[in-house]
């Protein structure tokens, strides 16, 4: 990938986006408390006889508040550990046309955006040497350094050497979560060596970050956190269960095991000296990418949501022991519960200590939009395998995704996919008229064959996505699973 400089406008947009996400995390207790108040108001409207019948509910509300405080403790600890990739204290002002009006003292006063529609850009990070994982959020797009350990970017304008195995890009904050992903979310951050797992490509020491999460928030946003953002934080909590709790094991067995089995079958002679390279676009909270690393691959997760990156960074780099944290992931819905105790049950994580899991050197999490980051000459024919899990349908243009996946792979390289086709931008009523190419499975395969793939294995896998295993409602996907190989060019 070539060097890329971020304009001040782009950096300002990233800061704006990141502030919004931090605000949503900070707003978590208030939004949850508002729900409990709503339950209480409804309870108060009951007749005395009905109240007497449900006299246990006030104590449930008290328990809910306690659970919220425990979840909040986790969220605040995670934010505390987060080192923003840029100086968040900058005074930024973007006008209604998407132009930068003013950026602190030393920068341009007016800069016209070449692409005012560009989505929030955010984090990225490469994982460092064996023993520690690093994932970090980066402000600039490209942060690949040769030092995976804790290489960092100094500023978003600094040029960087590119080493394909340690790249790291900018993440856009789009918690792109389509319905199935609605129950999912993500974030990430730095991992370090010997003690931390993943790290990214930014230097946390030099950006003068704020010391408290509250300092990072955007006061202008205040408490006006849109409901969609409130929902994203709750999604992240469910994704923690999917990726990092014992309770998510069944889902991981359904989704990740078939992928890992295929990688194991297709790369039987993985050498320690020259391990094969595997890319995981849309890596979410990073568990699959970590498992692939532990299998003996140089594994890189790519993720563009700051929500996901902040959280994966924390789990990968800052957790010290198994089950260090406890959350109450299921408290936000009273629907379809078999019992209050089910709804209020705690979930501990991580079920493994990432830093002791046995990763292969070169593990990294790279922040940024898959298309922006990997549609680059430096990536061509670099990868032995690409793994997409619940990712393909996040595309505006799935044909573009497939074309890029094909370009990334070496001749004879392998693409393993698992997921439905619940197109994220389908039925989008956004005024932006966002592009959305929605193909059937048959057409997706046709496109793949056009780009040089041949089918090796194909089946349907039944699975859930961030489902509450004890809920009376379970959304099941009959997900497409395949292994395709990129035909050698003759
Ligand atoms: N693979 C994970 C996450 C699937 S959800 C799992 O199976 O649990 C899809 C993920 O892709 C989300 O985390 C979303 O933020 C991310 N994503 C969506 N569009 C993306 C893009 N263009 N580039 C990188 N990541 C993207």
């Amino acid at each position: 990938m070539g060097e890329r400089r971020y304009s001040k406008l782009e950096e300002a947009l990233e800061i704006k986006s990141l502030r919004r996400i931090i605000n949503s995390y900070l707003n978590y207790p208030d939004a949850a408390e508002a729900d409990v108040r709503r339950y209480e108001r409804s309870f108060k409207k009951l007749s005395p006889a009905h109240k007497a019948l449900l006299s246990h509910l006030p104590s449930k509300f008290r328990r809910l508040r306690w659970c919220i405080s425990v979840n909040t403790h986790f969220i605040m600890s995670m934010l505390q550990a987060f080192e923003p990739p840029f100086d968040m204290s900058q005074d930024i002002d973007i006008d209604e046309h998407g132009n930068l009006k003013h950026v602190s003292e030393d920068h341009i006063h007016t800069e016209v955006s070449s692409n005012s529609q560009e989505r929030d850009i955010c984090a990225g990070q490469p994982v460092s040497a064996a023993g520690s994982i690093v994932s970090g959020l980066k402000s600039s797009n490209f942060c690949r350094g040769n030092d995976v350990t804790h290489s960092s970017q100094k500023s978003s304008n600094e040029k960087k050497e590119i080493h394909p195995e340690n790249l790291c890009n900018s993440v856009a904050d789009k918690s792109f979560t389509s319905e199935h992903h609605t129950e999912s979310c993500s974030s990430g951050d730095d991992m370090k060596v010997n003690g931390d797992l993943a790290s990214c490509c930014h230097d946390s020491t030099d950006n003068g970050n704020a010391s408290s999460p509250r300092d990072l928030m955007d006061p202008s946003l205040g408490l006006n956190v849109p409901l969609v953002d409130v929902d994203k934080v709750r999604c992240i909590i469910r994704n923690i269960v999917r990726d990092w709790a014992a309770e998510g094991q069944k889902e991981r067995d359904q989704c990740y095991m078939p992928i890992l089995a295929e990688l194991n079958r297709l790369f039987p002679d993985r050498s320690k000296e020259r391990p094969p390279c595997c890319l995981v676009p849309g890596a979410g909270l990073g568990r699959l990418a970590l498992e692939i690393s532990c299998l003996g691959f140089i594994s890189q997760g790519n993720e563009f949501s700051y929500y996901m990156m902040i959280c994966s960074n924390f789990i990968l780099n800052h957790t010290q022991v198994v089950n260090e944290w406890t959350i109450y992931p299921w408290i936000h819905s009273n629907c379809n519960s078999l019992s209050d105790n089910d709804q209020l049950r705690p979930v501990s994580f991580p079920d493994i200590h990432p830093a002791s899991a046995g990763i292969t050197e070169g593990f990294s999490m790279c922040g940024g939009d898959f298309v922006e980051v990997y549609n680059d000459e430096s990536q061509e024919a670099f990868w032995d395998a690409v793994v997409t899990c619940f990712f393909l349908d996040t595309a505006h243009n799935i044909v573009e995704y497939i074309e890029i996946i094909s370009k990334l792979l070496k001749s004879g390289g392998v693409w393993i996919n698992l997921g439905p086709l619940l197109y994220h931008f389908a039925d989008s009523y956004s005024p932006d008229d966002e592009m959305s190419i929605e193909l059937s499975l048959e057409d997706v395969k046709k496109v793949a064959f056009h780009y040089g793939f041949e089918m090796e294995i194909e089946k349907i896998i039944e699975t859930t996505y961030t489902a509450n295993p004890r809920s009376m409602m379970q959304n099941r996907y009959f997900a497409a699973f395949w292994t395709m190989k990129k035909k050698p060019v003759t």
Side-chain angles (χ1 to χ4, degrees), residues 326-345:
T326 297
I327 49 170
Y328 295 84
W330 314 115
I331 56 171
H332 303 294
S333 171
N334 291 321
C335 299
N336 292 309
S337 281
L338 292 173
S339 72
D340 288 349
N341 281 343
D342 267 355
Q343 186 191 351
L344 275 69
R345 72 188 182 279

Side-chain angles (χ1 to χ4, degrees), residues 119 174-176 181 184-186 239 242-243 256 282-284 302-305 308 368-371 389-391 394 401 465:
R119 355 154 142 149
K174 296 202 145 205
S175 270
F176 270 18
H181 313 136
S184 70
C185 292
S186 59
N239 269 79
R242 172 174 170 84
D243 266 21
Y256 300 166
N302 159 240
E303 174 54 57
F304 81 161
S305 161
M308 291 283 191
D369 172 58
F370 171 67
V371 173
C389 184
F390 278 80
F391 174 70
T394 66
Y401 268 20
Y465 189 92

Side-chain angles (χ1 to χ4, degrees), residues 72-99:
T72 303
H73 173 60
F74 164 71
I75 288 171
M76 294 308 155
S77 306
M78 181 178 82
L79 291 180
Q80 202 79 52
F82 170 60
E83 290 160 348
F86 12 66
D87 176 6
M88 297 291 289
S89 65
Q90 284 184 62
D91 195 10
I92 54 164
D93 195 359
I94 298 165
D95 70 20
E96 64 280 13
H97 307 295
N99 299 326

Side-chain angles (χ1 to χ4, degrees), residues 119 170-178 180-182 184-187 236 239 242-243 251 255-256 259 280-288 302-306 308 366-374 387-396 401 418 424-425 465-466:
R119 355 154 142 149
S170 83
V171 174
D173 150 37
K174 296 202 145 205
S175 270
F176 270 18
T177 51
S178 35
H180 53 274
H181 313 136
T182 309
S184 70
C185 292
S186 59
S187 71
I236 291 290
N239 269 79
R242 172 174 170 84
D243 266 21
E251 224 171 71
C255 295
Y256 300 166
I259 293 171
V280 187
L285 291 187
R287 180 63 177 264
L288 178 59
N302 159 240
E303 174 54 57
F304 81 161
S305 161
Y306 255 133
M308 291 283 191
C366 174
D369 172 58
F370 171 67
V371 173
E372 282 181 34
V373 174
Y374 294 93
V387 164
T388 47
C389 184
F390 278 80
F391 174 70
L392 275 190
D393 54 6
T394 66
H396 281 283
Y401 268 20
L418 186 148
H424 177 77
F425 295 98
Y465 189 92
T466 66

Side-chain angles (χ1 to χ4, degrees), residues 414-425:
V414 172
W415 174 25
I416 303 170
N417 175 66
L418 186 148
L421 291 172
L422 183 57
Y423 291 103
H424 177 77
F425 295 98

Side-chain angles (χ1 to χ4, degrees), residues 28 60 63-64 66-68 70-71 237-238 241-242 245-249 251 325-333 335-349 466-474:
Y28 170 82
K60 178 183 174 187
R63 286 171 71 198
L64 277 173
W66 190 80
C67 297
I68 292 166
V70 174
N71 288 355
I237 293 176
R238 300 171 74 112
V241 181
R242 172 174 170 84
E247 210 175 294
Q249 188 65 53
E251 224 171 71
W325 295 94
T326 297
I327 49 170
Y328 295 84
W330 314 115
I331 56 171
H332 303 294
S333 171
C335 299
N336 292 309
S337 281
L338 292 173
S339 72
D340 288 349
N341 281 343
D342 267 355
Q343 186 191 351
L344 275 69
R345 72 188 182 279
V347 167
S348 297
F349 67 96
T466 66
N468 175 352
R470 294 200 213 161
S471 166
M472 293 162 73
M473 190 182 80
Q474 302 278 329

